[in-house]
Every structure is written in structure tokens, then in C-alpha cells.
Amino acid sequence: MTTGVSLTQYLRVQERLRETEARITGRVLQVCYESGSRLEVVTVYETRDAYDRFTRSVLAPILEELRYTDVDYQSTLMEVHNVTVFDPPAVP
């Protein structure tokens, strides 16, 4: 789980991820939602190594490029034993 970014910052990072040609492997699922006044992002990776690779070689350079180095970015890592998706809704 990631906290400490605004919705605007999150959307800018997502835009940069779409623009980059970097192949993002190992990411399974991402959910972004607001909790009170905070934005929460939950991303499921296939392995801890996939998370480390993505953070180090893809995300960190984008955060630096966008000058989000002072963002109070906090990550909590949890081991997931199962992911179940039930008829995902159409995204507008």
C-alpha cells in the first residue's frame, strides 16, 4: 500500500508510465482510492523482486523527473496469498 501522494500526482505518474516504453513486468493489479483526505494505492506484484525492480528502475526515475522527491511516499509490503477478481466492471 502506498500513501503520501495527491490524486494529481498519482495521475501524472500514471500518464508517464503509459508514455514510457519501459516494459513493466510482474505487476498484477492496482487499485487507487481516497480514504478520508488521503489517497491510497494498492498494487499487487508477482514477487518482491518484481516490486523492487519496478520501484528502482521505472518508478524512482519518474518520481525524480517529476520532482516528487519530497513527497511523503510510504510503502507497506504484505505477502498476498490469493487474488480473486469477480466480473470486473467496465472502466469509463
Side-chain angles (χ1 to χ4, degrees):
M1 181 177 300
T2 304
T3 63
V5 296
S6 71
L7 180 58
T8 300
Q9 291 169 322
Y10 172 79
L11 293 174
R12 287 189 69 198
V13 169
Q14 294 306 304
E15 181 179 333
R16 285 296 297 124
L17 287 171
R18 282 190 299 279
E19 291 171 357
T20 187
E21 294 298 318
R23 181 171 148 87
I24 302 171
T25 59
R27 287 197 322 166
V28 175
L29 167 70
Q30 185 172 83
V31 177
C32 175
Y33 62 95
E34 290 181 307
S35 177
S37 62
R38 297 170 22 141
L39 190 69
E40 305 280 352
V41 181
V42 177
T43 308
V44 177
Y45 295 87
E46 290 176 348
T47 64
R48 171 64 188 257
D49 184 56
Y51 164 80
D52 290 339
R53 271 194 327 271
F54 171 76
T55 302
R56 180 180 59 252
S57 54
V58 179
L59 184 60
I62 289 173
L63 294 177
E64 187 173 323
E65 172 191 325
L66 294 174
R67 300 176 194 228
Y68 291 167
T69 54
D70 63 340
V71 169
D72 182 22
Y73 178 86
Q74 301 171 17
S75 288
T76 303
L77 300 178
M78 296 175 254
E79 187 173 342
V80 175
H81 298 284
N82 185 41
V83 175
T84 304
V85 178
F86 301 98
D87 296 325
V91 177

